[in-house]
């Protein structure tokens, strides 16, 4: 392990010497814990603060990208379903649940998947997702491997919960957990927050590192051994999420494209959602705040919004391509969040408004590393019910309403 002097050197390179402020008052165990935490933390992400905040400022030229629409899908339903089910039955597809986030907007102190969205009965978010996946398992007659990413903040709770609930009826032999990496979080002036005198405040480093974390956990060997060719990546918070959807998998395979993304038609030109498009001729996602007014309101020859299709964090990636791009660095996004920490008087604070920045890699940046991406339109009232906030837009209330509309007993 590094010495106190080494630690001080590392910290002074980044202007973070205050991390050792309480060092002398710590017990021997706390001292070595802190030194090893400093050794293992990648402080280089802090360099991004001094760069232009808008890391995506140097974007290429955007152009609209069409989708296979709900009507196209209906017209080709039998073929897509056959191709998708064949791939699933042959064991070529698996699902990856990204559940390492802290869900700060929801304000629930356990992993988001443990939230009970039921009204008159218990119905946990994880349970909704497993139920949705079970529909496909039943149809295909095979278990679909499910890889679940957690972080060190929620790993034990998540694994414990699945065990306690007997995996909601899923075969536990087909479920694999792995942990993502952490990154330091900072206040508005760029100083690393402390969680306690002997611990730096670390938070999950975004959902973009999922594949490298999965590889580090040794799961790529498992994937290769099983002959899995496609991974369906999805978020924890969309309770209507169709996972390993045969139609989606079939359409992507049938199209010969390298990847796919489920998309929904934007509800208004100003909806705050990332849009799948082309950037310098390659698939890419333009964030709502990156779009000019002209892009937002641009219409195509049919009078429809040109930048129409919003992403819902449900992607299909090919394992071979993921291995190819494994060493490519993803951009670091600086995200303003509420960060619990210890204040200068040593008191723990749980802020009620954003008080600093976290550093995150995002899975959406992987889309731009693909040669091609099929935009696959789904009906938002049937497949998109995100639980982001406690109330208001994309909240527990809106998700409950959508679940009920789709016949789920609450
Ligand atoms: P969000 O960006 O909505 O999630 O993640 P968050 O950070 O959990 O929530 P807020 O912003 O603090 O309220 C979208 C998906 O990516 C996962 C989340 O669990 C969710 O499924 N995620 C996010 C990770 O797996 N790791 C992360 O570091 C961040």
């Amino acid at each position: 392990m590094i010495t106190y002097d080494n630690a001080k050197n590392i910290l002074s390179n980044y202007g973070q010497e205050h991390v050792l402020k309480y060092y002398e008052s710590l017990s021997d165990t706390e001292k070595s814990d802190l030194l090893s935490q400093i050794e293992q933390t990648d402080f280089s992400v802090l360099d991004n603060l001094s760069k232009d905040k808008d890391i995506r400022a140097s974007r290429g030229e955007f152009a609209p990208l069409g989708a296979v629409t709900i009507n196209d899908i209906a017209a080709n339903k039998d073929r897509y379903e056959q191709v998708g089910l064949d791939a699933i039955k042959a064991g070529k597809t698996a699902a990856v649940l990204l559940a390492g986030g802290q869900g700060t907007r929801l304000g629930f102190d356990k992993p988001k998947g443990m939230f009970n969205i039921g009204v008159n009965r218990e119905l946990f978010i994880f349970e909704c997702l497993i139920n949705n996946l079970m529909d496909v398992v039943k149809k295909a007659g095979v278990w679909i491997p499910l890889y679940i990413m957690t972080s060190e903040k929620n790993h034990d709770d998540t694994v414990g919960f699945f065990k306690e609930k007997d995996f909601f009826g899923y075969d536990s032999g087909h479920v694999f957990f792995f942990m993502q990496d952490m990154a330091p979080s900072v206040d508005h002036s760029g100083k690393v927050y402390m969680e306690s005198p002997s611990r730096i405040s670390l938070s999950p480093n975004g959902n973009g590192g999922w594949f490298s974390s999965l590889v580090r956990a040794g799961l790529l060997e498992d994937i290769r051994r099983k002959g899995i060719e496609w991974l369906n990546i999805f978020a924890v918070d969309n309770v209507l999420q169709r996972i390993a959807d045969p139609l989606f998998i079939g359409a992507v395979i049938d199209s010969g494209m390298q990847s796919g993304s489920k998309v929904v038609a934007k509800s208004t030109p100003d909806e705050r959602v990332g849009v799948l498009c082309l950037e310098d001729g390659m698939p890419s996602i333009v964030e709502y705040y990156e779009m000019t007014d002209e892009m937002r309101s641009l219409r195509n020859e049919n009078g429809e919004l040109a930048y129409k299709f919003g992403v819902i964090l449900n992607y299909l990636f090919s394992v071979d391509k993921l291995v190819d791009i494994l060493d490519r660095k993803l951009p670091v996004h600086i995200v303003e969040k509420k960060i619990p920490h210890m204040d200068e008087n040593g008191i723990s604070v749980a802020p009620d408004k954003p008080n600093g920045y976290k550093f995150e890699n995002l899975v959406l940046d992987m889309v731009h590393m693909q040669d091609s991406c099929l935009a696959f339109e789904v009906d938002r009232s049937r497949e998109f019910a995100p639980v982001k906030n406690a109330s208001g837009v994309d909240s527990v209330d809106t998700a409950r309403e959508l679940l009920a509309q789709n016949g789920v007993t609450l």
Side-chain angles (χ1 to χ4, degrees), residues 100-119:
Q102 289 178 294
T104 51
R105 283 171 287 172
L106 181 61
F108 178 58
D109 63 352
K110 293 273 182 229
K112 200 184 259 189
M114 287 174 65
F115 187 82
N116 175 14
I117 193 132
V119 178

Side-chain angles (χ1 to χ4, degrees), residues 48-253:
N48 291 284
L49 278 175
S50 48
K51 293 187 193 147
D52 185 344
K53 279 250 172 60
D54 183 3
I55 47 147
R56 302 177 121 215
S58 55
R59 299 296 294 264
E61 191 161 328
F62 292 118
L65 176 65
V68 281
T69 61
I70 293 174
N71 288 342
D72 299 333
I73 296 164
N76 294 293
K77 184 169 180 280
D78 292 345
R79 192 173 82 243
Y80 289 163
E81 187 160 278
Q82 193 58 51
V83 175
L85 280 176
D86 284 350
I88 295 168
K89 286 182 185 165
K92 290 185 182 167
T93 59
V96 182
L97 165 56
L98 305 179
Q102 289 178 294
T104 51
R105 283 171 287 172
L106 181 61
F108 178 58
D109 63 352
K110 293 273 182 229
K112 200 184 259 189
M114 287 174 65
F115 187 82
N116 175 14
I117 193 132
V119 178
N120 299 312
R121 63 160 184 145
E122 279 186 337
L123 179 65
F124 300 96
I125 289 182
F126 281 139
E127 186 176 6
C128 290
L129 299 175
I130 294 291
N131 289 347
N132 297 350
L133 183 56
M134 277 304 282
D135 290 346
V136 184
V137 167
K138 283 185 196 139
K139 201 167 210 174
V142 294
W143 291 103
I144 296 164
L146 172 63
Y147 300 91
I148 301 181
M149 182 166 85
T150 62
S151 81
E152 65 178 46
K153 295 262 184 208
N154 68 13
H155 184 79
D156 293 347
D157 279 344
T158 304
V159 176
F161 189 66
F162 268 94
K163 286 188 178 152
E164 181 196 320
K165 301 294 181 190
D166 211 7
F167 290 75
F168 300 105
Y170 212 76
D171 180 352
S172 61
H174 290 89
V175 182
F176 308 87
F177 296 92
F178 65 101
M179 269 199 263
Q180 69 170 94
D181 290 340
M182 306 291 281
S185 37
V186 297
D187 66 15
H188 282 129
S189 63
K191 294 285 178 212
V192 166
Y193 272 124
M194 298 298 288
E195 199 171 279
S196 74
S198 62
R199 272 196 74 76
I200 297 171
S201 166
L202 296 178
S203 37
N205 69 343
N207 56 30
W210 68 274
F211 190 65
S212 51
S213 299
L214 183 144
V215 172
R216 205 162 332 108
L219 291 170
L220 182 58
E221 279 113 73
D222 183 61
I223 286 173
R224 290 294 201 199
R225 202 180 49 247
K226 292 184 170 125
I228 295 166
E229 295 177 9
W230 297 96
L231 295 178
N232 179 205
I233 320 309
F234 66 101
V236 73
D237 37 42
N238 176 8
V239 286
L240 282 181
Q241 186 102 246
R242 303 312 304 169
I243 306 153
D245 176 356
L247 283 176
F248 179 40
I249 294 168
V252 174
I253 295 176

